[in-house]
């Protein structure tokens, strides 16, 4: 059970922007609190605000933003609290953000979702004082962080389908089944040395998705020596781990 996190940001050509200490926040009945760090890698002060948003996810994993007042049945809003919601970061400083799973009586095992939208803007006074920066072109730095909340024990499994190796590239469909989404790491491993040949670090397969297609480089290694391995996040009580030899 947990909360999955991944981040997307927009940065200016002169900006290093906002960074996060992790791509995933995990909460369940055994791990009810978690902090992550937001840090300012830019040379200007950032003023940040956080709020929850919701997206519709189709069978291919494409996200479509819902109206701000739309709360789907699976909305995680009633289950999580976080603070602070507003903060400022001077250059080189950081801010700890705390997530907490709310206690609710008589809950059934289920998965809920939302997105934490973290938006940061440069301090306008600092920008105007810098003659090297053209005023009016400063972007909003935005991180959209998917949140998954699970209450109780939920089962899930995956299997590899339609494996195809061609031109030093492996294509595979990862099919998910069960009561929850799956998030983990996909690796190609050389069976002779046990070294990772290539990997995709964050593979998310939501409940709405029938499968996810992933491509990895074989780096010219014969498929007879390759092992494909999917490993769910270590903090899960019963993580999904699947291995398959390609040879």
């Amino acid at each position: 059970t947990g909360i999955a996190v991944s981040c997307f940001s927009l940065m200016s050509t002169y900006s290093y922007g906002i960074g996060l200490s992790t791509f995933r926040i995990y909460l369940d009945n055994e791990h009810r609190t978690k902090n992550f760090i937001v840090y300012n890698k830019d040379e200007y002060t950032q003023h940040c605000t956080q709020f929850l948003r919701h997206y519709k996810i189709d069978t291919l994993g494409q996200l479509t933003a819902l109206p701000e007042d739309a709360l789907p049945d699976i909305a995680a809003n009633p289950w999580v609290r976080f603070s602070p919601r507003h903060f400022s970061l001077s250059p080189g400083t950081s801010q700890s953000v705390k997530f907490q799973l709310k206690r609710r009586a008589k809950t059934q095992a289920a998965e809920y979702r939302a997105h934490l939208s973290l938006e940061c803007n440069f301090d306008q006074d600092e920008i105007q004082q810098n003659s090297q920066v053209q005023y009016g072109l400063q972007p909003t730095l935005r991180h959209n962080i998917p949140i998954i909340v699970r209450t109780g024990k939920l089962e899930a499994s995956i299997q590899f389908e339609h494996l195809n190796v061609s031109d030093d590239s492996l294509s595979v469909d990862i099919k998910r089944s069960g009561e929850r989404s799956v998030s983990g790491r996909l690796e190609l491993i050389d069976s002779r040395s046990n070294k990772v040949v290539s990997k995709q670090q964050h593979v998310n397969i939501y409940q709405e998705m029938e499968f996810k297609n992933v491509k990895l480089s074989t780096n010219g290694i014969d498929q007879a020596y390759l092992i494909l391995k999917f490993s769910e996040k270590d903090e899960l009580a019963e993580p999904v781990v699947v291995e398959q030899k390609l040879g």
Side-chain angles (χ1 to χ4, degrees):
T1 58
I3 289 182
V5 175
S6 63
C7 309
F8 309 91
S9 63
L10 300 175
M11 301 181 184
S12 67
T13 55
Y14 59 85
S15 164
Y16 292 102
I18 291 293
L20 302 180
S21 63
T22 180
F23 287 94
R24 193 173 194 265
I25 298 176
Y26 179 87
L27 293 177
D28 63 16
N29 290 329
E30 286 72 43
H31 308 85
R32 306 189 68 89
T33 62
K34 178 70 176 182
N35 291 359
F36 77 95
I37 308 299
V38 182
Y39 49 95
N40 185 3
K41 300 185 290 182
D42 207 283
E43 59 184 297
Y44 299 103
T45 296
Q46 304 267 2
H47 301 296
C48 302
T49 185
Q50 301 181 108
F51 56 94
L52 295 183
R53 298 186 64 186
H54 302 89
Y55 291 81
K56 180 180 179 181
I57 302 177
D58 66 18
T59 57
L60 297 178
Q62 299 297 316
L63 276 66
T64 302
L66 296 175
E68 292 186 8
D69 58 350
L71 283 179
D73 293 338
I74 61 170
N77 303 43
W79 296 94
V80 295
R81 61 169 58 96
F82 60 94
S83 64
R85 295 187 177 233
H86 306 277
F87 55 89
S88 295
L89 293 170
S90 55
T93 64
S94 62
Q95 172 68 53
S96 176
V97 178
K98 181 178 181 179
F99 274 79
Q100 185 173 10
L101 183 65
K102 295 181 181 179
R103 294 187 181 276
R104 302 186 65 182
K106 298 180 180 180
T107 60
Q108 295 182 343
E111 181 172 283
Y112 302 91
R113 289 202 303 268
H115 277 70
L116 179 73
S117 186
L118 169 63
E119 295 185 355
C120 299
N121 294 278
F122 295 125
D123 187 283
Q124 296 303 310
D125 291 337
E126 292 182 9
I127 292 292
Q128 293 183 62
Q129 292 171 8
N130 189 333
S131 59
Q132 295 179 346
V133 178
Q134 184 177 353
Y135 181 71
L137 295 181
Q138 299 75 47
T140 294
L141 306 179
R142 177 177 300 148
H143 294 251
N144 291 313
I145 304 171
I147 302 173
I148 298 175
V149 179
R150 299 186 186 120
T151 59
K153 184 178 180 179
L154 300 170
E155 302 292 341
S157 63
I158 69 162
Q159 62 186 49
F160 301 133
E161 294 186 344
H162 306 120
L163 287 91
N164 181 55
V165 177
S166 177
D167 298 327
D168 293 339
S169 177
L170 166 70
S171 174
V172 58
D173 290 343
I174 306 175
K175 185 176 181 180
R176 185 207 62 85
S177 59
E179 305 165 301
R180 62 174 176 85
S181 59
V182 174
S183 177
R185 179 178 64 252
L186 187 68
E187 299 172 311
L188 265 183
I189 301 170
D190 188 332
S191 62
R192 298 167 297 179
S193 63
N194 206 36
K195 291 185 176 179
V196 176
V197 174
S198 60
K199 64 182 177 181
Q200 186 164 324
Q201 192 70 26
H202 305 286
V203 178
N204 300 313
I205 311 172
Y206 296 104
Q207 286 178 290
E208 293 90 341
M209 301 169 62
E210 298 177 0
F211 68 92
K212 184 179 182 68
N213 178 264
V214 180
K215 293 180 174 60
L216 292 175
S217 172
T218 65
N219 284 325
I221 297 176
D222 192 292
Q223 71 181 79
Y225 303 114
L226 292 175
I227 298 173
L228 184 62
K229 181 178 180 179
F230 179 88
S231 306
E232 208 171 17
K233 306 300 182 180
D234 294 337
E235 60 264 34
L236 290 172
E238 298 180 4
V240 173
V241 179
V242 176
E243 288 189 20
Q244 182 171 330
K245 294 182 179 180
L246 301 190

